[in-house]
Amino acid sequence: MRTIVQALSLLLFSLLFLFATYKLPDWFPADIYLRLDPLLGLNAIFASREIIGRSLWGLVTIGATLMIGRFFCAYVCPMGVSIDFLDLLLFKRKKQKSLTIESSLRKTKYFLLIVFIMAAITGLSLAFLMDPIALLTRFYTFFLYPLAITLINLFLDLMRPLFKGLGWVSLSHLHIFQPVFYMSAITLLIFGGMIALNLIAPRFWCRYLCPLGAMLSLISPLGIFKRKVSEECNECMKCQKNCPMGAIPEDPTKTRLRECFQCRTCVNVCPQNAITFPASLSIGGEYSKIDLSRRGFIYSVAGGLGVGFLATQTPFTPLQGKHNLIRPPGAVPETEFLRTCIRCGECMKSCLTNTLQPCLWESGFSGLWTPKMDLRLAPCDQNCNVCGKVCPTQAIRSVSLEEKNHAKVGTAILLKEKCLVWAQNKICLICDEICPYNAIVFRPVEGFRRPFVIASKCNGCGFCEQRCPVLGESAIVVVPDGEIRLKEGSYVTEAKKLQLEFKADPGDDKFILEESGFKVESGKKEEKNLQPQKPKGFLQ
Amino acid sequence: MAGATLALSGNSTFLQAKEEYDLAVTSGDPVVATKKALEALGGISRFVKKGHRVVLKPNMSFARTPEFGATTHPMVVATVAEACNQAGARQVLILDHTLHRAELCLERSGIREACKNISGAHVQAFQERKFFKEIKIPQGKVLDRVEVIQEVLECDLLINIPVAKSHSATGVSLGIKGLMGLIWDRGIFHSRVNINQALADLATVIKPQLTILDATRALTTGGPGGPGEVKKLDLVIAGADPVAVDSYGVTITPWYGRSFKGRQVEHLLIAHQQGLGKIDMDQLKIHKETT
C-alpha cells in the first residue's frame, strides 16, 4: 500500500517535471511539489521579506501534518521514494547496522534547520542546499533528464535503419533535443553521496539530515494518528529492528513521535499483532521532546548568522547592482532575485532553448545554482515564457509573452575589432538575419555597409550572439546594460516609458548596391541613396 | 524561337508536352495559382512518377507566421505535396534545415498543419549533423565539398519551393539561395568564402528538377528573416530552370525600393555564367495566366 502511494507520488513528480516545457498552459502548476514544500516557502519569504503567493501552498503541507502527523516523508516526498527504491535496488543484501551515536546524530537535522532559517533571516537563501524537493528537482534537471534524452537518442540511432526499412518516415528522422548543463557532475556527486549514506543506516538522510523532515517533525506529534502498542507485546523487538526511521526506542511500547512517519512497517512485522495506529489526541511522551542542548542551539543560530554574514558581506553584495550576468527575462531585481530564488532548477529544465544555465561562483556563494543566460550557447526565444510560469517562488515572474518580450535582459554590443564586416569587409549579415526585432541595421560608413545595433530595439534575446560565425567570443555580445528588472508592474509600460520598442516592424535598413549581391551598371549609381535621410536629432 | 529550341534540347520529356513553356507565371490565391502553374508546365506528372520518393524544400527556416513573408506560404506547399501524392509519389518529404528551433518553425510557419492530412507527406526539420552527408563539388570554385541532408541525396525528385525575399547579403533570396537550407554549415558562406560564388557552386551539385517560387507575397525589405515590408503579389512562378525562375522573380517587384533585373543579382549571374540556366527573359517562353 505504502509502496504504491510512493510510486504514484514519484510518478506524479516525474510527470509534472516533464510537463514543464514551453507549451505549459498558464493554469497548470508544474511546480506544485516545490510550492508545497514549506521549508522552501519559509526560506524564500524570510530571505526576501515578502509574502510570496505561491509559497503559501506550503501551508497545505503544514496543515496536513498537523492533522495526520509526519506522513509526508513516508508517502509523498519524492526524495524519500527515491531513497527507498534505490536502497532496495543497490543495498538490499547488505546488513543494516545500528548506529551507536544515534540520538545525538538525530539532532543534526534540527541544527541544520536552524542554520537555514537564520541564514534566511540574514537574507541568504541557503535551504536549497539540503531541501529534498529542490535537491531532487536539480538532480532531475541537471543529470537524469539529459541522461534520459541521451539514452532515447541512442536507442533511436540504433533503430534508425529498421525504422527506415519499415518506411516509418517520422520516426526514422526523430531526434530529441539534447539539453546540456554546467554543474551536472557536482549535482550527481551530491545526490550520489546522499544515496550512499544509506549504507550506514536506512533513510540516513531523512533521519539525521533532512531539514524539511526536521521542520515537519516539529509539529508531527500534534497529528491525530499515533502508534499504540497493546499488552500483547512480547518485546521481541522486531518492530524496533525494522523501523526505517529508528523511531522505536529500547522500550518497544514507546514511540519517538517526531521520528515516526507512519509507514506502519511495525504493524506488519509484529508477530503478536500488538501494534495499531488509532486516532489519539495525546501529545508528547518522554521520547518526543527535542533535546537540543542550549549550547547546540546557540551554535547553530550563530552558525546560520555566520554563514549569512560570510555570504552576504562580501564584495559580491555591493556588486549586485553592477552584476555581469544576464538573468532570465522577468527576473526580479538582482538583490531580491538572489534572496528569492530557491535554486530548484525548474526554469532551466523548462527552458526551450537551453540558454538558462546554473551559476557556480559568478555572483559568489549567494548565487550558487541561480539561473543565468548563456547566450553564446543558445538564445532566448520570443515565443516562450515558461521559466516564469514554473518558478515556485516567482523569482522569475510569470508574465504574458508580450510582457516577457519587453522584460529586456540586456543590450547587444558590437565588437568591431572582431566583426567580420567591420574588421575584414566580409559580406556577413547573420546577426541582422536572425534578429527578431530588427535591432541590427546596416548603414553606410565610408562607402561600405556596416552593422549597427539600435539599442532601443534590442531586448537582449541573444540570437545574434549565438549565431555570430566568429570563433570564440562572439563579435556581438549581450551585456546587462539596459536590463529591465521589476518587482511588480508592467514591463510594457516601463519599456514605453524608456522609449524602447520591441516589435516586429521594418527597420531602417540602408542598402548599398555595390556591396550587396546586386550589380549596378556603372553610371547608374544613385549617390543620394547612400546618405541617411536626415541626421539624428533633427526634425523636418 | 531560338531560345525555346535551346530550352527543349535539354529535356526530352519536355518535347512531348503539348505546351512548351520555360516558365509558368500565374496569379491568384495560393492554391489556385500553384495548381495553374503546375498545369501550365504540363502537369506535375511530368516530374513525379509513380513510386517516386519526392523531397519538397520550402523555406520554413524562421519561426514566423506566414504574414511575415519569411517562409513559404503553407498552402503553396500543401498544394504541391497533394499534387505529388496524386501523381503516385510513394513518399513526399517536406524538409528544411531551420535557423530557429525546429518545432517552433514547423508550428509557426503553418506548413506542418497544412500538410498533416496529406497521405505520404511528412514535414521534417533537420538540425542534427547526423542527418547530413558530405558530397564533393567537382565544379566548385570556392567550395570543394559540402554536407547535404541525406534524404535529398537519396530522393528521386527534388522540388524547391522558395518564398520571394530580399536578402541583405545576396540581394534576393529565391530558389538558388534557398538551397542553403539543405546544407549543414552555412556559417562559412558568410565568414570564409564569397557567398555569391559559393551559392553558384552549391547549385552545380544540388539541382532541383522543379522550382516553384512562392511570390504570393514578397518580403521586399528586411529579408531574409524579416520583419520587413511585405507586398502582396499573388504570384506563383514555376519552371525547371532554377536560374530562369529566380531571374524572373527578381523582376516582379522592386527590392529595397528599386527595380532590378536578374543579371544584376551577382549569384544569379555567376550561376548563369557557369551554365546552370538562362537569365535573360527574352530567351524564355513564358506562360502567363491570371485566375
Side-chain angles (χ1 to χ4, degrees), chain A residues 22-23 157 164 170 173 175 352 381 383 426 429 432-433 436 438 449 463 467 513 517-519, chain B residues 64 68 99-101 104 107-108 124 128 130 151 154 167-169 190-191 224 227 258 264-266:
Chain A
Y22 89 105
K23 282 193 171 168
D157 282 346
K164 222 170 174 175
S170 295
H173 296 119
H175 173 90
L352 169 68
D381 199 284
N383 302 307
K426 292 219 162 115
L429 77 161
D432 176 34
E433 167 182 66
N438 238 2
R449 55 189 200 106
F463 269 102
R467 287 300 159 91
L513 301 169
F518 286 119
K519 286 259 165 121
Chain B
R64 291 198 177 278
F68 278 91
L99 281 170
H100 287 147
R101 272 290 289 278
L104 285 172
E107 194 180 295
R108 290 179 72 83
Q124 295 280 336
E128 286 299 311
K130 63 188 170 195
E151 292 288 346
E154 292 169 359
H167 194 281
S168 39
H190 299 286
S191 58
R258 296 198 45 195
Q264 291 171 289
V265 177
E266 190 175 345

Side-chain angles (χ1 to χ4, degrees), chain B residues 42-54:
Chain B
I44 191 85
S45 54
R46 217 186 102 194
F47 304 92
V48 181
K49 300 290 171 239
K50 216 172 162 54
H52 262 180
R53 280 168 57 182
V54 182

Side-chain angles (χ1 to χ4, degrees), chain A residues 178-193:
Chain A
Q178 174 74 58
V180 287
F181 293 101
Y182 300 111
M183 295 177 72
S184 286
I186 303 179
T187 311
L188 174 65
L189 276 178
I190 293 173
F191 183 82

Side-chain angles (χ1 to χ4, degrees), chain A residues 309-521:
Chain A
F309 168 76
L310 286 174
T312 55
Q313 302 312 310
T314 75
F316 284 115
T317 304
L319 286 172
Q320 278 169 15
K322 307 169 183 170
H323 69 102
N324 194 29
L325 292 167
I326 308 291
R327 296 295 190 185
V332 295
E334 185 68 9
T335 303
E336 284 83 354
F337 178 72
L338 290 173
R339 291 171 169 220
T340 315
C341 172
I342 51 166
R343 332 295 156 89
C344 57
E346 191 92 342
C347 53
M348 299 178 240
K349 148 66 179 74
S350 61
C351 178
L352 169 68
T353 61
N354 199 207
T355 183
L356 288 188
Q357 293 288 329
C359 285
L360 183 59
W361 206 255
E362 292 88 328
S363 56
F365 187 76
S366 62
L368 278 172
W369 270 288
T370 50
K372 63 172 178 186
M373 292 167 93
D374 188 329
L375 295 172
R376 187 60 166 148
L377 180 71
C380 176
D381 199 284
Q382 68 271 27
N383 302 307
C384 172
N385 60 346
V386 72
C387 50
K389 283 193 214 170
V390 300
C391 180
T393 54
Q394 292 297 287
I396 307 172
R397 293 170 59 195
S398 179
V399 290
S400 69
L401 272 179
E402 168 82 354
E403 283 283 332
K404 175 252 164 184
N405 287 331
H406 282 78
K408 183 177 167 91
V409 297
T411 311
I413 51 168
L414 256 161
L415 308 178
K416 291 178 183 168
E417 298 82 1
K418 298 195 82 180
C419 174
L420 295 171
V421 184
W422 278 98
Q424 300 178 34
N425 288 347
K426 292 219 162 115
I427 306 173
C428 181
L429 77 161
I430 291 181
C431 51
D432 176 34
E433 167 182 66
I434 202 77
C435 176
Y437 299 98
N438 238 2
I440 295 164
V441 295
F442 281 81
R443 285 182 182 151
V445 177
E446 290 160 7
F448 205 96
R449 55 189 200 106
R450 312 279 190 191
F452 287 86
V453 177
I454 301 179
S456 65
K457 289 185 170 190
C458 171
N459 75 354
C461 70
F463 269 102
C464 52
E465 178 172 344
Q466 191 240 340
R467 287 300 159 91
C468 177
V470 168
L471 295 185
E473 190 197 15
S474 177
I476 182 165
V477 292
V478 177
V479 296
D481 195 40
E483 63 170 5
I484 304 178
R485 304 276 289 264
L486 299 177
K487 248 164 89 172
E488 54 196 14
S490 159
Y491 293 95
V492 175
T493 313
E494 183 69 16
K496 281 215 178 100
K497 218 189 288 172
L498 297 168
Q499 297 188 309
L500 308 176
E501 195 175 39
F502 311 124
K503 68 170 193 197
D505 69 354
D508 59 344
D509 285 29
K510 294 287 177 295
F511 198 76
I512 296 183
L513 301 169
E514 60 265 42
E515 305 301 347
S516 73
F518 286 119
K519 286 259 165 121
V520 180
E521 289 148 49

